[in-house]
Amino acid sequence: MKKLLDTIMLVVGLLFPATLAAESLPLIQNVNAYESMSLNGEWNYIVDVQEEGYYDYRMKPTRWGFFQNAKPQRPEDLIEYDFDKSPTMQIPGDWNTQDERLFFYEGTVWFKKSFQAVPTSDCRTLLYFGAVNYDCRVWVNGKEAGHHIGGFTPFNFDISDLLREGENVVIVKVDNKRHAEDVPTQIFDWWNYGGITRDVKLVKVSPVYLEDYNLQLTSLEGRQISFSVKLNKPEANHTVTLTIPELKIKKTLTTAADGTAAISMKAKPQLWSPENPKRYQVEIMLDNSTIADSIGFRKIETRGKQILLNGQPIFLKGISIHEEKPNGGGRANSPEDARTLLSWAKELGCNFVRLAHYPHNEYMVREAERMGILVWSEIPCYWTIAWTNPATLDNARQQLTDMIRRDHNRANVIIWSIANETPHSAQRDAFLSQLAKHARSLDDTRLISMAMEVTGASNYVNRLNDNMNEYVDVVSFNQYIGWYRDVNDAPKMTWEIPYNKPVIISEFGGGARYGYHGAKNQRWTEEFQENLYRENLAMLDKIDGLSGTTPWILKDFRSPRRVLPGVQDYYNRKGLLSDKGERKLAFYVLKQWYDGK
């Protein structure tokens, strides 16, 4: 009889391999404004190299996977895993720097966390992840809550109907293997940190809540402000009240049948700028529940070859930054990490940062806003994306949507970037043009750009020629004179940019190991990098329409592509600071140039 029951269960498992996932929800705006319970801290984990916790030996999803968190009920029961006896890891965090066995590991790791809950009928519970890299499946109490793809954008599931009173268990399967159809694709020049890399929390919301809201300065003339809301349900006759006490604003709206409402009003706020990063305390009441935010008002636009902030030309004194901890590597994931990295940028003289090559932690964006630092935010359409794959386009579009949805009320975010160094082709143009149009449809109050490649080089003339010029507001490109071409060519170079648009040099630079000194023509020395910066800055000063730069990069960062022993040791050494925050000579060259701008 036992064998017969086992056979029946095996058949059932093959026919009905997995619990259907709950439908994922659109991302909630300003998640930190809601009552929540953090699930950060120690999580048990199991390394699953062959994914036996999800598939059977024929690679079919199994009902008896690790997500069941099964325990032996009888002495003879065979259960070949045990989360409670497995090691623990700090979440948020990456597995590469927390377990030395996993430093180079790319594959599946399972995570488990127990928590207490008291479900109530008058509210819903969202399970929110700031980011998980890369392919993530989530179960609550053995039932699948949802599936998310993409390593750098937040997501949330409604798990209200999966909770039970008392102890609950959430289990997360994380897979960071690289694939050609992913975004980013199989090759990229940064560390593929795996894991639950940002905050996890349970968020308490009303059955009807503010899924999204938008508060923007739409006109400098008369200081026109627009405000709109969208509920999580298409319901009419909900009352929404906007209050900005310092501006003496109190406006009440009523939602239409589609769950939206909008209003435009006159006000005279102080304008947010790097010199005066003024933000206003804002309260939004829906029916009887209130959330708060701090929002600044500013206007970003272009005029010919100028970028205008609040109607005045601005030069963007920038630096590129990877989301890596400021002292020794690992995925950055805390307000303290953000403050340290951005304080280094401020010391350099920056009023602008390019958060490359993917959406960074929300802490980074909000801390930059508080400190008066403008932001370029980017999705990881990097190098050779699968341009003709519809699923890849859907993935990129969703990452773009979630990036914009999370940060569209941040005054300091001025550029949405859709790509970096993508090879030219008709398929690529079709793919990226759709992303550009999508970004503009979601948010027409900011500029759109991308880091282009210069392909029209002839001797000492570099001509930018990119069909995407018609879809961007700012022409940006990467160039590495002095690193991939002789630095002595810099004084001879002429740049032809045949577009009446502002220009940002989105990358330039070269590598140096901190503390390694020698002649200025000796590669990897600080003197080599110092001279490279001097020659490049003199060259860039001659570019017509130059409106900003974001040199590559603030600090050294880990990359598996950088293997030179004794010099790189799996670090990209193009940082102006070492991975431990030590200033190289070129740091002071760029600082002096920015001080004169």
Side-chain angles (χ1 to χ4, degrees), residues 134-155:
Y134 171 82
D135 188 319
C136 165
R137 293 185 180 273
V138 180
W139 291 264
V140 175
N141 298 324
K143 306 293 186 181
E144 190 165 5
H147 179 212
H148 182 264
I149 294 177
F152 304 97
T153 49
F155 55 97

Side-chain angles (χ1 to χ4, degrees), residues 354 357 420-421 477-480 505-508 550 552:
R354 178 188 179 205
H357 285 294
N420 176 78
E421 287 185 1
F477 63 91
N478 302 345
Q479 65 83 22
Y480 281 94
I505 308 303
S506 38
E507 291 181 28
F508 72 90
T550 51
W552 194 257

